[in-house]
Amino acid sequence: MGTEPLLSLSNIKVTFGGVRALKGVSFEVMPGEVHCLAGENGCGKSTLIKVITGVYKPEDGAELRFDGKVIPAMTPTLAQSLGIQVIWQDLALFGEMSVAENIGFQLAVNGKFGLVDKKAIDAAALKALARLGVSLDIHRPLRELPIAQRQIVAIARALVGEARLVFMDEPTASLTQSEADYLIEIVRTLSASGVAVVFVSHRLAEVLEISDRITVLRDGALVGVYPVDGMTQSRVTELMTGRNFDSAVIAADHDAAPVVLSVRNLARTGEFTDISFDLRRGETLGITGLLGAGRTELALTLFGMRQPHGGEILIEGKRMEFGSNRDAIRAGVAYLSEDRLSLGLNQPQSIADNLVMASLDHILSNGLISPTKKANVVSHWISALGVKIGTPDDPIRTLSGGNQQRVAIAKWLAIGPKILILDAPTVGVDVGARAGIFDIVRKLAAEGLSIIIISDEPPEVYFNADRVIHMADGQFHASYDPRTISLTALEAAIYA
Ligand SMILES: Nc1ncnc2c1ncn2[C@@H]1O[C@H](COP(=O)(O)OP(=O)(O)OP(=O)(O)O)[C@@H](O)[C@H]1O
Ligand SMILES: [Mg+2]
């Protein structure tokens, strides 16, 4: 680490309409350091990154220095030429373009190679991927790639320029544990080669493992800057929220309750085989396992988006044949997808429209949408899930990532389902909001909803489910009762 900061900011203020997103924040990054920017959903992390990269202009009185020099007016182009790169929370990639075009995009735009030179773009893409130690088919359209690989593409794109400072806004949010571990290695390599990395993540274990220092924001204000040495997860949580969270096992027996969902020998060729389980009224089942275990494929089949090749699904004893997810929704199944940015929400639409999207039947009056009913449903769920919004008519994209996730959950709760499947429900959600989401899950279970939580974070299922099923290679590996196994033993079994 050098002794002079690479980047320093002071007195950064940003206001959106009535929302004071940043209230006079200062921030500093040393050359080559890994710095974590932490705080709850909506505290201003992404906004701060946008100020540094010239997307938003701070109010008067702000100062921004890079390499010791005052930068009076940052712009995206200037940021880029200084070697400041960002991997945005929503990745900002182009689905219709190839992997190579996405990675080499900036070269094409800058016209460094005159006209768009396909060979040069391909070469740059291959070089950036090689630097990450990854091989991908660079001619495939991006939309065909799973989200984890798209993330790699976004990182490779950031490395194409001469990066000196890379911001990663929740780079691991949609990655599995092993992919996240891999990314951590990449970050270490970057930092060792002198590139400073600022890292936004809600996974505190990872934050503590990777960072040199941590800056904590709360509600648009700076709480403090801390060395990571000697920092604990619960201390960071306390700094972020001003509160304390304790975890306890909630598992209970539901043997007396009627079976709502029965899955018998369910199979899909190449994805999963011989899956059988019962889910009772008011019961919460956790499913965990590594990437490729077949968890999401199973969930999509239960939700009618894929057809099983064998076995059966019964709801309240009746055999189901789902032609599509409409059939599943009608039968009372709700599925919150792991990929909210592409499947769950319609970004340009309003918060209110997104929230009622799956439950239009419930807000009709004489065949037309009743504005009163709609407003009631919207305000009920916004307050029940504590979603931080301006007005319900704002486009959903103006919400912070975690608040979008809450709207995605509300959308499904609004249909009044019998079975709720949550696939990676807390991806990108801060620890305070996670606790809030699981409080809601518990309340819903107590009201009789049957819930399946899919997560690759073992603690998440361990502390929030009655039973935990470990899936591996498309099969049920084992079933655990959190009351009779320790979290450490469960984790050891999964990562073995
Ligand atoms: N373009 C915008 N228009 C209106 N309000 C905005 C806009 N961008 C951000 N906000 C508001 O500013 C606040 C800070 O948002 P920001 O996206 O910086 O949060 P964050 O810390 O990145 O949260 P998360 O962890 O959920 O991603 C939030 O209240 C958000 O709703
Ligand atoms: Mg953000």
Side-chain angles (χ1 to χ4, degrees):
M1 239 189 257
T3 45
E4 290 299 315
L6 177 63
L7 172 79
S8 71
L9 313 171
S10 60
N11 197 26
I12 304 298
K13 294 181 188 158
V14 175
T15 308
F16 298 108
V19 180
R20 292 178 66 201
L22 293 173
K23 308 172 183 169
V25 167
S26 53
F27 181 62
E28 172 193 283
V29 185
M30 303 301 284
E33 87 168 315
V34 180
H35 195 116
C36 171
L37 186 56
E40 291 190 281
N41 293 133
C43 72
K45 304 178 293 295
S46 297
T47 303
L48 183 61
I49 296 173
K50 286 178 183 162
V51 167
I52 295 166
T53 50
V55 178
Y56 294 148
K57 248 177 232 353
E59 286 162 33
D60 289 349
E63 191 182 76
L64 196 159
R65 286 169 182 267
F66 189 82
D67 235 356
K69 285 188 271 299
V70 175
I71 312 281
M74 184 61 94
T75 64
T77 323
L78 179 56
Q80 201 128 60
S81 68
L82 292 170
I84 304 176
Q85 293 284 345
V86 192
I87 296 152
W88 295 112
Q89 201 164 8
D90 61 4
L91 302 184
L93 297 170
F94 303 94
E96 297 310 314
M97 287 172 31
S98 71
V99 169
E101 286 163 342
N102 269 286
I103 297 175
F105 181 70
Q106 207 50 52
L107 295 180
V109 170
N110 292 352
K112 275 192 190 150
F113 295 95
L115 288 171
V116 180
D117 178 342
K118 278 204 183 310
K119 275 199 192 124
I121 286 179
D122 286 0
L126 288 170
K127 194 173 140 206
L129 287 169
R131 194 161 163 198
L132 300 178
V134 186
S135 70
L136 289 179
D137 176 357
I138 59 167
H139 299 297
R140 262 177 87 179
L142 186 91
R143 67 180 140 72
E144 291 177 6
L145 267 51
I147 186 106
Q149 290 183 7
R150 289 186 218 172
Q151 196 102 38
I152 305 268
V153 171
I155 296 167
R157 181 181 56 187
L159 296 182
V160 164
E162 289 292 302
R164 296 186 64 196
L165 173 57
V166 175
F167 288 89
M168 297 190 177
D169 198 347
E170 285 193 53
T172 57
S174 43
L175 302 185
T176 59
Q177 190 66 47
S178 57
E179 290 168 327
D181 289 346
Y182 179 67
L183 181 65
I184 286 176
E185 280 314 305
I186 291 176
V187 170
R188 289 220 168 95
T189 313
L190 281 178
S191 148
S193 71
V195 178
V197 180
V198 176
F199 191 71
V200 177
S201 172
H202 292 296
R203 295 189 178 193
L204 294 180
E206 165 186 289
V207 164
L208 294 178
E209 187 186 333
I210 201 177
S211 312
D212 300 306
R213 291 193 301 162
I214 173 168
T215 289
V216 180
L217 300 182
R218 193 194 302 160
D219 229 351
L222 178 71
V223 176
V225 185
Y226 311 88
V228 159
D229 266 352
M231 198 41 107
T232 61
Q233 289 197 38
S234 57
R235 178 78 184 119
V236 177
T237 305
E238 221 177 289
L239 291 167
M240 279 166 52
T241 62
R243 285 170 291 154
N244 233 318
F245 296 94
D246 292 321
S247 302
V249 168
I250 56 114
D253 284 325
H254 294 267
D255 296 346
V259 172
V260 175
L261 171 71
S262 288
V263 174
R264 290 284 169 270
N265 310 106
L266 204 66
R268 253 182 74 85
T269 313
E271 291 182 349
F272 54 85
T273 52
D274 202 20
I275 305 291
S276 300
F277 65 90
D278 285 338
L279 179 65
R280 293 173 185 273
R281 197 177 137 79
E283 187 179 29
T284 301
L285 176 68
I287 302 182
T288 185
L290 306 176
L291 181 79
R295 300 162 314 173
T296 292
E297 292 76 8
L298 172 64
L300 290 172
T301 308
L302 295 175
F303 190 52
M305 288 179 72
R306 302 210 180 165
Q307 310 312 315
H309 297 138
E312 47 188 35
I313 300 168
L314 299 104
I315 292 183
E316 291 172 340
K318 264 189 19 213
R319 190 174 167 172
M320 296 289 141
E321 297 273 0
F322 295 146
S324 72
N325 58 343
R326 285 174 166 275
D327 296 342
I329 292 171
R330 221 168 281 132
V333 184
Y335 171 65
L336 178 74
S337 112
E338 64 177 338
D339 183 4
R340 68 171 185 270
L341 293 170
S342 64
L343 289 174
L345 299 171
N346 184 340
Q347 295 291 328
Q349 276 191 14
S350 72
I351 297 162
D353 287 346
N354 271 284
L355 204 153
V356 299
M357 193 156 38
S359 57
L360 294 174
D361 301 355
H362 299 237
I363 55 168
L364 296 180
S365 168
N366 301 322
L368 293 174
I369 289 177
S370 147
T372 319
K373 283 189 185 171
K374 178 175 167 184
N376 286 342
V377 167
V378 169
S379 72
H380 170 79
W381 289 112
I382 296 228
S383 87
L385 299 202
V387 190
K388 251 178 105 178
I389 64 160
T391 83
D393 297 323
D394 292 341
I396 191 113
R397 65 178 145 70
T398 63
L399 294 186
S400 77
N403 280 302
Q404 289 191 22
Q405 181 70 330
R406 287 186 231 198
V407 174
I409 293 177
K411 173 182 120 180
W412 288 112
L413 293 178
I415 73 170
K418 288 180 194 142
I419 301 161
L420 175 64
I421 305 172
L422 300 168
D423 197 348
T426 59
V427 160
V429 174
D430 69 60
V431 2
R434 280 178 191 219
I437 285 170
F438 287 117
D439 283 347
I440 292 158
V441 167
R442 258 169 240 183
K443 211 175 109 235
L444 293 165
E447 288 166 7
L449 188 65
S450 304
I451 298 166
I452 298 177
I453 302 174
I454 299 177
S455 172
D456 43 55
E457 292 184 51
E460 203 154 274
V461 284
Y462 183 80
F463 290 114
N464 294 295
D466 297 306
R467 223 165 9 119
V468 175
I469 285 172
H470 172 202
M471 266 183 92
D473 300 322
Q475 286 178 310
F476 271 11
H477 201 67
S479 170
Y480 300 100
D481 181 340
R483 290 168 296 181
T484 58
I485 185 172
S486 70
L487 177 59
T488 322
L490 177 70
E491 289 182 321
I494 290 163
Y495 297 129

